[in-house]
Amino acid sequence: MFLEQRSESMKSFDWQNLLRSHPIFSSLSEEEIVNLVSDEVSHERVCPPDAVILREGEAGDSIFLIGSGSVQVTLRGTGGPLMPLAILQAGEIFGEMAVLERRPRSATVVAREECVLLEVAGEEMRKLLAAHLEVQVKLYTVVRDRLRQWFQSLGVGEPH
């Protein structure tokens, strides 16, 4: 007999609690949060210090939520020197640009210390965004604010 039931998650971090209070995901129902952290939709990754999590230019279709630790975001662009863009801390997300645009990764992300990450499949994230306009608006606001900050840190004018 086949039971249509999500398997119990084997994750060590309390992702449900983080998502319940997260500025982007807090409007989701308990059922949607449970689905988001299910093993069919997301995977927990533990990365040691200096581990490359994402590499600029590589294909990728997942978004990451930092449960603990911090990461360094860098950009090489067209072969120039490596430019640090940001340090992201626990509770922040990354990888959203590739998921939203369905394009290669726009930056390299490296663990600054041991990190516990939740990697959510891009297709599942896009379904969630299609069903929840408020989550979509919050995510695009994060992207806009991050781009504005990065443009300023690079000494370039604001994006239009």
Side-chain angles (χ1 to χ4, degrees), residues 32-146:
E32 289 166 322
I33 289 173
V34 168
N35 180 59
L36 201 55
V37 300
S38 71
D39 290 338
E40 292 85 0
V41 172
S42 62
H43 301 285
E44 184 176 82
R45 290 179 51 183
V46 178
C47 299
D50 301 318
V52 175
I53 302 161
L54 302 178
R55 194 173 306 278
E56 183 180 351
E58 287 184 349
D61 191 30
S62 56
I63 191 169
F64 294 82
L65 176 61
I66 305 171
S68 66
S70 62
V71 299
Q72 172 78 56
V73 182
T74 59
L75 180 67
R76 187 172 301 278
T78 56
L82 200 60
M83 295 176 285
L85 291 179
I87 293 173
L88 304 178
Q89 307 285 344
E92 295 190 83
I93 61 168
F94 62 92
E96 73 284 349
M97 304 272 291
V99 170
L100 294 172
E101 298 180 339
R102 298 182 192 220
R103 298 185 64 176
R105 299 290 185 189
S106 58
T108 297
V109 179
V110 177
R112 296 180 68 232
E113 58 196 302
E114 182 174 277
C115 294
V116 180
L117 308 171
L118 183 68
E119 182 177 9
V120 180
E123 188 57 38
E124 293 297 324
M125 194 66 201
R126 285 187 291 275
K127 285 181 194 174
L128 185 72
L129 294 173
H132 291 277
L133 182 59
E134 76 282 0
V135 174
Q136 193 177 115
V137 168
K138 291 174 187 176
L139 185 60
Y140 277 105
T141 300
V142 167
V143 171
R144 181 205 62 208
D145 293 348
R146 192 173 285 166

